[in-house]
Amino acid sequence: MTEADAALDRGGVVDVVVVGGGQAGLAAGYFLRRAGVSFVILDAQIGAGGAWRHGWESLRLFSPARYSPLPGWWMPPQPGEPFPTAAHVRGYLADYERRYALPIVRPVEVTAVGRVAGGLEVRSRSARWRAGAVVSATGTWRRPYWPRYPGRFGGRQLHTVSYRRPEPFAGQRVLVVGGGNSAAQILAEVSTVAKTSWATLRPPRLLPDEVDGRVLFDVASRRQAAVAAGRGDDRGAAALGEIVMVPSVRAARERGVLVARPMFTRLVPEGVVWPDDTLGRFDTILWCTGFRPDLGHLDPLGLSTVQGVPATVGTRSVDEPRLHLLGYGDWTGTASATIIGAARTAKACVAQLTAALAA
């Protein structure tokens, strides 16, 4: 037996390989199970939960549990918490795996997806799987985005991906950079122990207290439908990137710390220079500036890109129709980086790829 044959024996041959065992991968697994095809989910994590394993300790959903289900089973409410914590979501995802007996193999670090006769081959460092189709659902958490600004800062810098709790920043001067919900939630709790400032590219939109993630998802769905129908894009409507007033963020607003400044022009050893040429002195800069899709395993396929991401029709790759990309954001389905968005997108994704397998 050759080394390649042995690697295939350690992997296997299935109809579909799903790369990634977070919320999008589990949603795909549910519909693949219902479709009756053979499949495996390969997950790089050591346990259940996907990116929810790595968020800061107080991270929470910005919609109630009843509006954040995976297919087939509603997320149970968390007693005393209108917006479930990351720990609650992790527990739900672990229970979901067990409930549907999803065939997950972990930890498996997929290094490459390539073409072979009759299908695709998925490779790790020690095994190979062959399949008629592949669903890439690796998310973005492992690719934090750090924007570039002129100059050099002499203090500490860290990204959302490395933030855990506010206590290490006690007594410091902290600049939080970024205009999304992560920035607002982190600013809210760091400001309880440190002197904080907030810098954003555009003035953040603080939504009414009664608006939660369910409303934002519905608005995003209507917006995408309007664009598809040629009716334009109502940018005045609420969008998923706008600030949901979870309790901690409301408290920060009441303390008067939820006030954003225009983005600085450059870094200096002491901190930043603001647009009016004044100096902002800081001990730490916390970059809450988002993530990029984790797609290095797809490099062997040589996929063309549109605005920096692989060209797709829905979730299907334009260049490799046996490949689907799931859960990376609006370009792979309305709000598909959210739990409910991934669930809805996965249904259409699996229907399309199983039809192709049967053809």
Side-chain angles (χ1 to χ4, degrees):
M1 178 182 292
T2 67
E3 183 177 346
D5 290 336
L8 187 56
D9 280 349
R10 289 191 292 271
V13 179
V14 291
D15 292 321
V16 182
V17 171
V18 179
V19 184
Q23 59 199 31
L26 299 188
Y30 172 87
F31 289 111
L32 288 167
R33 176 74 83 201
R34 289 185 61 184
V37 299
S38 63
F39 70 100
V40 65
I41 300 173
L42 307 179
D43 188 24
Q45 306 291 330
I46 61 173
W52 291 96
R53 297 175 57 84
H54 305 290
W56 60 95
E57 291 179 1
S58 67
L59 173 65
R60 60 189 61 238
L61 289 172
F62 52 74
S63 57
R66 66 184 180 276
Y67 298 123
S68 302
L70 283 173
W73 185 41
W74 295 94
M75 182 186 296
Q78 183 175 3
E81 295 284 353
F83 298 92
T85 63
H88 184 73
V89 177
R90 288 196 300 271
Y92 168 66
L93 296 180
D95 291 343
Y96 190 91
E97 291 183 9
R98 291 189 289 269
R99 182 184 183 94
Y100 293 108
L102 297 177
I104 301 176
V105 182
R106 60 166 63 100
V108 175
E109 181 79 29
V110 170
T111 56
V113 176
R115 297 178 180 90
V116 293
L120 297 172
E121 183 174 81
V122 178
R123 297 187 289 272
S124 72
R125 291 181 176 84
S126 61
R128 297 182 300 148
W129 290 260
R130 289 187 179 171
V134 169
V135 176
S136 181
T138 49
T140 63
W141 189 256
R142 297 199 300 178
R143 287 199 61 205
Y145 172 64
W146 297 74
R148 295 181 179 273
Y149 282 87
R152 183 179 295 274
F153 175 55
R156 183 187 182 198
Q157 300 186 68
L158 70 159
H159 191 276
T160 309
V161 73
S162 300
Y163 175 78
R164 292 294 176 268
R165 63 187 70 86
E167 287 77 13
F169 305 94
Q172 293 188 14
R173 299 162 298 180
V174 179
L175 175 61
V176 177
V177 181
N181 282 283
S182 295
Q185 288 189 26
I186 290 174
L187 173 78
E189 68 176 24
V190 172
S191 66
T192 64
V193 300
K195 182 179 180 180
T196 55
S197 296
W198 189 15
T200 63
L201 283 174
R202 291 169 293 278
R205 183 177 180 185
L206 308 181
L207 295 172
D209 289 1
E210 66 274 12
V211 174
D212 59 31
R214 174 186 58 86
V215 175
L216 296 185
F217 181 86
D218 290 344
V219 169
S221 298
R222 291 195 298 271
R223 174 181 292 169
Q224 186 162 357
V227 172
R231 297 195 301 270
D233 187 357
D234 179 11
R235 293 296 178 183
L240 285 167
E242 294 162 342
I243 308 301
V244 177
M245 304 304 289
V246 298
S248 63
V249 177
R250 289 202 300 269
R253 180 190 61 196
E254 299 307 312
R255 296 197 310 273
V257 299
L258 203 66
V259 179
R261 299 188 61 166
M263 189 63 69
F264 51 85
T265 58
R266 65 185 187 276
L267 301 168
V268 293
E270 304 94 330
V272 302
V273 176
W274 297 110
D276 61 3
D277 286 332
T278 60
L279 173 65
R281 297 180 181 271
F282 297 101
D283 303 298
T284 298
I285 298 177
L286 213 168
W287 299 87
C288 301
T289 46
F291 300 82
R292 296 293 183 265
D294 181 16
L295 299 174
H297 56 292
L298 302 180
D299 287 348
L301 296 174
L303 305 177
S304 60
T305 60
V306 176
Q307 296 182 339
V309 297
T312 58
V313 176
T315 61
R316 181 177 57 79
S317 166
V318 168
D319 302 302
E320 176 46 76
R322 295 167 295 192
L323 171 69
H324 287 251
L325 297 103
L326 182 64
Y328 295 99
D330 285 347
W331 61 279
T332 55
T334 300
S336 71
T338 66
I339 296 176
I340 189 172
R344 294 183 181 182
T345 307
K347 183 176 183 179
C349 166
V350 170
Q352 187 175 25
L353 72 82
T354 52
L357 288 172

